Amino acid sequence: MKGMILAGGLATRLRPLTAVTNKHLLPIYNKPMIYYPIEAMAKAGIKEILLTSSSDHAGHFENLLNTGDDFGVRLYYAVQENSKGGISDAIMLAEEFAKDEKLLVMLGDNIFSFDLKREVEKFSKINKGAMVFGVKMPTESGQYGVIEADENGKVISIEEKPKHPKSDVAQTGIYMYDERVFNFIKNLTPSARGELEVTDLNNFYVREGTMHCALIDWWIDAGTSFDELLRANNLVAEKVKKGELT
């Protein structure tokens, strides 16, 4: 399985912090935000990772991360020209990179400590399907995609920011896809906001009955607001001081 980290976007909600740099290069306590998804992939056994960014910041990532040797991985870089194309549009950049292998996709501003290795190993053995990772949290705010799953983890529905959520499981930005993901993306149509939505992509697998959900213990989408960025810094600092993170 190969890995892909999405680190594009304009991050206008975090300006002026992002006026001259990418939000994924902002600090989360003792290291840049982008370190967290790379370390999570390396811990899960992923050896090759494609990192996508905008043309304005691609060089910043390469200067910081180089070839990925410091993390025990091999890093590759791609530029997403259409910064408003959506997550599924960005995933298409990995079509040649994946070369008919399964793909672990992670948003670069996801902060968590869950060890993905067991789920990666299980997923690598399946014939077809996808997996989304969720976390139990209040979903009434309408800020998150919401996952409804049965007792075996098979996903029944995924709704994007519903007014009346069917569960208390929020969709994180961590996904695993089989080799067919690119064909599914090619059949997507843009949403009302002009993006190829990841929820629409995931629902191809939901309708097929091959989407499953794994729960993680905690997760923060650190790039969405000043408050979430601060919360990520405070929580990571607490966990580092307790020896729960390095």
Side-chain angles (χ1 to χ4, degrees):
M1 190 184 302
K2 291 186 176 178
M4 182 179 197
I5 297 174
L6 309 186
L10 301 176
T12 55
R13 288 175 290 185
L14 291 179
R15 289 185 179 175
L17 299 180
T18 55
V20 295
T21 192
N22 186 285
K23 69 178 177 180
H24 305 89
L25 298 174
L26 296 176
I28 301 294
Y29 188 53
N30 59 349
K31 65 185 76 169
M33 188 185 298
I34 194 63
Y35 277 39
Y36 292 87
I38 295 174
E39 290 173 349
M41 285 201 174
K43 188 177 179 180
I46 304 297
K47 298 299 183 183
E48 294 183 88
I49 301 170
L50 178 67
L51 190 149
T52 69
S53 183
S54 64
S55 57
D56 292 345
H57 302 130
H60 299 182
F61 287 99
E62 192 169 3
N63 288 339
L64 174 68
L65 304 170
N66 297 305
T67 61
D69 288 347
D70 290 344
F71 302 91
V73 302
R74 176 63 63 180
L75 282 175
Y76 302 85
Y77 300 90
V79 172
Q80 185 182 13
E81 298 290 352
N82 182 7
S83 62
K84 298 181 180 179
I87 293 173
S88 294
D89 179 68
I91 293 172
M92 278 301 301
L93 295 173
E95 185 173 20
E96 293 300 319
F97 169 75
K99 294 181 180 177
D100 298 321
E101 292 186 56
K102 294 181 175 68
L103 190 65
L104 170 60
V105 178
M106 200 176 295
L107 303 189
D109 53 1
N110 279 211
I111 307 298
F112 63 97
S113 61
F114 184 81
D115 189 346
L116 302 172
K117 187 175 182 63
R118 180 180 175 185
E119 299 301 335
V120 165
E121 290 175 346
K122 284 167 53 180
F123 189 78
S124 67
K125 297 173 184 177
I126 69 167
N127 291 323
K128 66 177 183 178
M131 176 170 283
V132 64
F133 290 81
V135 61
K136 285 185 174 291
M137 62 188 297
T139 55
E140 295 83 1
S141 64
Q143 292 181 308
Y144 307 102
V146 175
I147 303 165
E148 179 189 15
D150 65 17
E151 64 276 6
N152 298 313
K154 182 178 178 180
V155 176
I156 300 168
S157 71
I158 301 177
E159 294 181 290
E160 185 62 28
K161 300 177 181 178
K163 292 182 180 179
H164 305 288
K166 296 178 180 177
S167 82
D168 62 349
V169 177
Q171 178 176 255
T172 70
I174 312 166
Y175 319 94
M176 291 193 288
Y177 298 108
D178 65 14
E179 302 86 343
R180 300 172 300 153
V181 63
F182 305 106
N183 288 330
F184 286 146
I185 294 173
K186 290 171 185 176
N187 286 296
L188 288 176
T189 55
S191 66
R193 60 178 184 168
E195 295 190 7
L196 297 181
E197 304 287 353
V198 71
T199 296
D200 292 340
L201 169 61
N202 290 341
N203 275 319
F204 275 113
Y205 292 96
V206 173
R207 290 190 292 270
E208 187 181 65
T210 59
M211 171 66 81
H212 286 79
C213 175
L215 293 177
I216 65 177
D217 50 356
W218 67 273
W219 162 85
I220 300 177
D221 188 357
T224 56
S225 69
F226 295 118
D227 288 338
E228 290 302 282
L229 182 64
L230 177 62
R231 189 163 75 92
N233 272 277
N234 288 338
L235 183 58
V236 169
E238 179 184 330
K239 289 184 176 294
V240 168
K241 291 170 184 176
K242 288 181 178 179
E244 298 174 10
L245 283 175
T246 58

